[in-house]
Amino acid sequence: MDNIYLLMLIAITVLAVFDIIVGVSNDAINFLNSAIGSKAISLRTIMIVASLGIFIGAVFSSGMMEVARKGIFVPAQFEFGEIMLIFMAVMITDILLLDFFNTLGLPTSTTVSIVFNLLGAAVVMSILKINQSETETLADLGNYIATDTALTIISGILLSVLIAFTVGALVQWVSRLVFTFNYENKIKNFGVLFGGVALTAITYFIFLKGLKGTPYYSELKDMVEGNEVYIILGSFIFWTLFSFIFEKLTKKTVLLVVIGVGTFGLALAFSGNDLVNFIGVPMAAYHSYEAWVAGGMDATMSMAVLDKKVPAEPLLLFIAGAIMVLTLWLSKKAKTVAETEISLSRQGDTHEKFEPNALSRSVVKGTTQLSNYFGVIIPNSIQSKINNSFQKPDVLITKDQSIDAPAFDMIRASVNLMVAGVLIAIATSMKLPLSTTYVTFMVAMGTSLADRAWGRESAVYRVAGVLNVIGGWFGTALGAFIAAGTVVFLINWNPSVMIPILLLITAFLLYRNYKSHKTSSNKVAEEDSLKETGSSSVQGVILESAANISNVVKRGNKIYTNAVNGLAKQDLDLLKKNKKQIEKLSKEVDSLRDNIFYFIKNLDDTSVRASSFYINILGYLTDMTQSLEYISKVSHKHINNNHKKLKFSQIKELKEVDDTLEILFNNTKQAFDSHSFEQIGSIITRKKELFDIVTEKIVKQVARTRTEESSPKNTTLYFSLLLETKDLLTATMNLLEEYYSSHDSSVEPATIKKEDE
């Protein structure tokens, strides 16, 4: 039994390595997003600068390690064996929780995770101890938990959300008011002062205030304290001169330096503040083990020793910093998490990651009404002046093009880094484990709001995304508390059995999530996915749209066949998959329709007829997918509700219709694949024949209903399928006729010209 604690310490250490990996994958986005989103600096340079910040921050982070040792619970109330069980439970649940959020691509808080893991495990262990006591009741729970410290930490984390959002929005609003979106001219006049202020704020709060949390501050204390005003003034003069010289020598804006130094400072602040989240518990476990060995290896000894301040080992901090840097360079999950925050703060329209919900709609409506009320109070002249400062450059790009363009400009990137770095450094100097995720995310959202990135076109989606992320934070807290409490209960029940089982489960879940993320991140565009057209002539649109028509017809053919086969075999799984396939196809067609605005805007005056053709084609494609969606939906619903199977004669007739449609779709696909649009004429000539086949089946069903049909549900389903099939045929024929006539008119002039020559 004695050796189990050594094995537990080894397991906790190994888990710490993986915890750093999953933690950095989640938190790397905190200090990379502004630089990546603005695309002001190359990605390689950003990574090098951030790596240096992480290394230095890791070495300076030992002052924060006390949180894991005594910030949440009272160590003297627990025995060594109980403390080790708490630490083991915390590490297992923390790593799984963070990896789960990374796989989803949602930024969560490593600080909240570790705090509520410690709180949940400590509370459950305290309850177990109280239950074994004859004198204590649940009212004595406060003796075990450091409630004052825990409440301070939790309230600080929650308060940081409001402060970060408000300060970020205010600073960005003022900055934009001064520089506007056309800041290139104004930055020449005021850029030196802006650079001086920004760099002074970053360096003072990051390097000097941040040093207060480190063991090295005692050497600088006499030099710093009492001289803050002189240091700030000196820094401002130095950085202002530096900004002036930099712009004169390089002919580049000093905002590049602000973004670079800000990224470095934020990486340093992150490492100094958040390293405790990854190795604070393992180091506390190591110190507990040391005390246990020195105390005669008595598992019942009190852990009051953890109340003493113990400096962190520099070597361990260095190793942790190295692992963090390697993770930063190699983690693919960090990039997934990055996409979420950048998409929510992007200045222009983009493919939104989140769907609106009732709450996001209410928030947008409420703030719009509030804005209207303020609009009445503020004089029109002032409103006009403010609106001029927020007038964006008239650059029109599609949603696909926006992905490769900078998400926001260097002014916003600089404000993001400056405000977030200052807030985090202030909290670190006060030894509050502020959530860097909360701060950086909410600062980014605040600056986005102030920059009017959330317009009427995108606000409801962006607000939904922010609410999803914030909801995930509360989910982290609740999940961490419950999960850690459950795990410590299981381990306490039988440590020698449960610890190996839980470690195996942890390893399995990590591997499964890794494989799942690797598979999804390696997916390339499917061969038959729909693509936007970029042509501006009718003939060009005809040729570029041909591939889309072919793909819709091919996939539509398969969806219709699967619906019929699913009904024939009563195969619910097939119908369920079929339903997902048509939903995917519908979304792709909707995406093409979303691009109509940009398509028309980019047309030249001589090619306006192409827009009419393209709009008609998309309309017919929408009609086709809506018919297929209805057919798939009612088929799935019928089988899912366990209604009577269709009669053999009905299945046979549906298969005849399916065979007819298959010939139609195959011929259509062949014509569009080979660009032999003249073949469309022969397909159109069969229009009446195709409709007659479906009408014949409807007539037969009417006769059956009058004589032998006994199931109202079957009758409703069968008529619904046939009538929707007629609509599908109508949409398909309209599309073919549109193509046939437009192709003829577009090639006729060219043919005549060739004959004249």
Side-chain angles (χ1 to χ4, degrees):
M1 183 68 180
D2 290 345
N3 288 334
I4 192 173
Y5 295 118
L6 177 60
L7 295 174
M8 287 172 68
L9 183 61
I10 293 170
I12 288 172
T13 304
V14 173
L15 287 172
V17 174
F18 285 100
D19 202 29
I20 291 173
I21 293 170
V22 297
V24 173
S25 295
N26 190 283
D27 280 7
I29 198 54
N30 297 338
F31 49 86
L32 294 180
N33 256 3
S34 294
I36 293 174
S38 66
K39 296 195 174 183
I41 308 173
S42 70
L43 184 59
R44 182 181 178 83
T45 304
I46 293 168
M47 298 291 277
I48 292 171
V49 168
S51 300
L52 290 172
I54 285 177
F55 255 124
I56 296 172
V59 176
F60 284 177
S61 68
S62 63
M64 297 296 298
M65 296 299 162
E66 305 302 312
V67 174
R69 295 159 51 83
K70 58 184 180 181
I72 306 300
F73 55 86
V74 181
Q77 294 288 340
F78 295 92
E79 299 171 358
F80 168 71
E82 295 163 347
I83 284 284
M84 291 299 286
L85 295 185
I86 289 173
F87 289 154
M88 176 62 77
V90 167
M91 292 307 296
I92 289 174
T93 50
D94 192 57
I95 192 172
L96 289 177
L97 198 64
L98 293 179
D99 190 62
F100 171 72
F101 275 92
N102 289 350
T103 305
L104 292 179
L106 289 175
T108 191
S109 170
T110 54
T111 305
V112 168
S113 179
I114 199 72
V115 166
F116 279 89
N117 274 318
L118 282 166
L119 190 60
V123 166
V124 171
M125 182 59 74
S126 302
I127 292 172
L128 291 173
K129 285 175 67 66
I130 290 170
N131 284 339
Q132 292 172 1
S133 172
E134 296 180 358
T135 58
E136 292 182 315
T137 64
L138 284 177
D140 297 307
L141 186 61
N143 297 331
Y144 294 87
I145 307 300
T147 49
D148 290 342
T149 310
L151 286 173
T152 301
I153 292 170
I154 294 167
S155 60
I157 290 170
L158 295 176
L159 194 60
S160 69
V161 173
L162 179 62
I163 292 173
F165 186 84
T166 306
V167 175
L170 182 61
V171 175
Q172 177 61 33
W173 189 81
V174 173
S175 300
R176 188 62 69 192
L177 201 62
V178 173
F179 292 103
T180 74
F181 280 96
N182 298 302
Y183 62 89
E184 288 80 4
N185 293 327
K186 288 200 173 184
I187 207 72
K188 292 177 183 177
N189 302 321
F190 302 103
V192 170
L193 290 175
F194 182 81
V197 172
L199 291 170
T200 299
I202 291 169
T203 52
Y204 176 74
F205 284 104
I206 296 296
F207 293 110
L208 296 180
K209 284 289 185 182
L211 280 173
K212 282 190 177 180
T214 73
Y216 307 98
Y217 182 70
S218 57
E219 301 172 12
L220 303 170
K221 186 175 180 181
D222 294 335
M223 193 191 329
V224 174
E225 291 187 358
N227 298 315
E228 286 88 349
V229 176
Y230 300 108
I231 292 173
I232 292 172
L233 287 174
S235 296
F236 175 71
I237 293 169
F238 171 80
W239 284 118
T240 303
L241 287 173
F242 173 86
S243 301
F244 177 78
I245 294 169
F246 176 84
E247 290 193 345
K248 289 296 181 183
L249 292 178
T250 64
K251 305 299 180 185
K252 294 180 180 179
T253 175
V254 74
L255 294 179
L256 295 172
V257 179
V258 174
I259 292 170
V261 174
T263 300
F264 172 83
L266 202 53
L268 183 144
F270 150 75
S271 186
N273 188 281
D274 280 15
L275 189 59
V276 62
N277 301 337
F278 314 133
I279 67 169
V281 167
M283 292 187 80
Y286 173 69
H287 293 143
S288 301
Y289 185 80
E290 270 189 328
W292 175 66
V293 172
M297 306 181 92
D298 179 11
T300 62
M301 72 176 288
S302 170
M303 280 289 101
V305 67
L306 292 182
D307 281 325
K308 299 177 182 177
K309 187 169 183 177
V310 181
E313 290 74 6
L315 178 61
L316 294 179
L317 294 176
F318 182 84
I319 293 171
I323 296 172
M324 292 170 81
V325 170
L326 287 172
T327 303
L328 180 66
W329 282 87
L330 301 175
S331 174
K332 288 185 178 179
K333 287 189 177 181
K335 298 178 180 65
T336 305
V337 180
E339 292 169 3
T340 299
E341 187 174 323
I342 290 176
S343 69
L344 290 175
S345 57
R346 190 175 292 279
Q347 190 67 47
D349 289 337
T350 186
H351 296 286
E352 304 294 346
K353 291 191 63 161
F354 297 91
E355 291 297 324
N357 51 52
L359 185 56
S360 71
R361 293 187 185 101
S362 299
V363 169
V364 171
K365 287 176 183 176
T367 51
T368 302
Q369 290 174 355
L370 194 63
S371 176
N372 292 336
Y373 294 147
F374 278 113
V376 175
I377 298 171
I378 300 171
N380 291 333
S381 58
I382 297 177
Q383 286 189 52
S384 178
K385 191 172 181 180
I386 292 173
N387 289 334
N388 288 337
S389 294
F390 285 84
Q391 191 68 39
K392 300 178 182 67
D394 192 18
V395 178
L396 195 68
I397 58 175
T398 66
K399 291 182 179 181
D400 283 343
Q401 291 169 336
S402 73
I403 295 171
D404 297 321
F408 38 79
D409 61 18
M410 288 191 283
I411 295 290
R412 176 131 66 98
S414 300
V415 171
N416 283 346
L417 292 164
M418 178 174 62
V419 174
V422 166
L423 292 177
I424 292 169
I426 290 173
T428 303
S429 69
M430 297 169 65
K431 294 188 181 178
L432 287 174
L434 189 82
S435 171
T436 56
T437 301
Y438 283 17
V439 172
T440 53
F441 182 83
M442 293 311 295
V443 166
M445 296 305 103
T447 57
S448 301
L449 178 67
D451 237 4
R452 301 185 181 180
W454 299 355
R456 295 294 290 268
E457 303 290 330
S458 61
V460 71
Y461 303 97
R462 306 283 175 91
V463 172
V466 173
L467 293 174
N468 269 279
V469 173
I470 293 176
W473 294 344
F474 285 102
T476 300
L478 184 62
F481 185 90
I482 295 172
T486 304
V487 170
V488 82
F489 175 81
L490 293 173
I491 294 176
N492 184 71
W493 173 56
N494 194 328
S496 57
V497 174
M498 293 309 302
I499 288 175
I501 291 174
L502 289 169
L503 289 175
L504 285 173
I505 292 172
T506 301
F508 169 74
L509 291 175
L510 287 174
Y511 177 76
R512 191 187 69 173
N513 288 345
Y514 166 76
K515 292 294 289 183
S516 172
H517 185 270
K518 186 177 180 181
T519 302
S520 62
S521 62
N522 287 339
K523 279 184 180 176
V524 294
E526 294 181 24
E527 185 182 346
D528 55 357
S529 60
L530 306 186
K531 299 173 180 64
E532 294 174 358
T533 181
S535 182
S536 59
S537 67
V538 176
Q539 187 64 20
V541 174
I542 286 173
L543 293 174
E544 287 185 18
S545 299
N548 283 343
I549 305 299
S550 174
N551 292 335
V552 170
V553 167
K554 172 188 170 185
R555 292 160 70 180
N557 185 17
K558 186 177 180 181
I559 288 165
Y560 192 91
T561 300
N562 286 343
V564 174
N565 289 339
L567 286 170
K569 299 174 183 177
Q570 291 190 299
D571 188 341
L572 188 60
D573 288 337
L574 177 61
L575 292 172
K576 190 175 181 180
K577 290 177 184 176
N578 204 44
K579 199 175 169 188
K580 288 181 179 178
Q581 288 299 316
I582 183 57
E583 285 173 358
K584 183 174 181 293
L585 180 58
S586 294
K587 284 182 180 178
E588 290 180 33
V589 173
D590 287 343
S591 180
L592 292 181
R593 289 167 66 90
D594 287 343
N595 195 53
I596 286 177
F597 172 80
Y598 303 99
F599 171 75
I600 294 173
K601 281 283 189 181
N602 289 326
L603 287 175
D604 53 50
D605 293 337
T606 60
S607 306
V608 176
R609 195 163 63 88
S611 63
S612 177
F613 168 77
Y614 189 59
I615 291 168
N616 289 339
I617 291 300
L618 290 181
Y620 298 138
L621 286 179
T622 303
D623 292 341
M624 290 174 67
T625 54
Q626 285 175 347
S627 294
L628 289 167
E629 196 165 10
Y630 181 80
I631 289 168
S632 180
K633 178 184 168 186
V634 295
S635 301
H636 174 268
K637 182 181 177 182
H638 187 86
I639 301 301
N640 196 34
N641 288 341
N642 205 30
H643 294 315
K644 280 186 179 181
K645 184 179 180 180
L646 290 177
K647 293 179 178 293
F648 177 77
S649 56
Q650 292 172 321
I651 294 294
K652 183 181 176 184
E653 289 170 7
L654 280 177
K655 283 191 174 293
E656 289 174 7
V657 173
D658 180 36
D659 291 340
T660 304
L661 281 178
E662 185 160 1
I663 294 170
L664 167 67
F665 287 148
N666 285 339
N667 290 340
T668 302
K669 182 179 183 303
Q670 185 180 359
F672 281 97
D673 282 343
S674 61
H675 292 176
S676 304
F677 300 119
E678 61 278 359
Q679 294 180 14
I680 295 176
S682 60
I683 299 173
I684 294 173
T685 57
R686 295 190 59 222
K687 178 178 178 180
K688 185 176 183 304
E689 177 188 343
L690 294 169
F691 277 99
D692 287 346
I693 291 171
V694 178
T695 303
E696 178 193 344
K697 310 305 180 191
I698 293 173
V699 172
K700 285 185 177 181
Q701 179 60 27
V702 170
R704 269 196 299 268
T705 304
R706 291 174 61 83
T707 57
E708 59 186 79
E709 185 62 75
S710 59
S711 172
K713 295 292 184 186
N714 278 16
T715 302
T716 302
L717 172 67
Y718 195 69
F719 278 131
S720 297
L721 292 173
L722 292 177
L723 291 172
E724 206 60 45
T725 300
K726 287 187 78 172
D727 289 346
L728 175 62
L729 279 171
T730 301
T732 305
M733 287 299 168
N734 287 341
L735 184 145
L736 292 173
E737 288 168 355
E738 179 75 28
Y739 243 91
Y740 191 61
S741 59
S742 296
H743 173 258
D744 274 356
S745 62
S746 67
V747 297
E748 234 174 56
T751 306
I752 294 169
K753 186 178 179 183
K754 192 173 181 182
E755 287 174 356
D756 290 344
E757 290 173 353

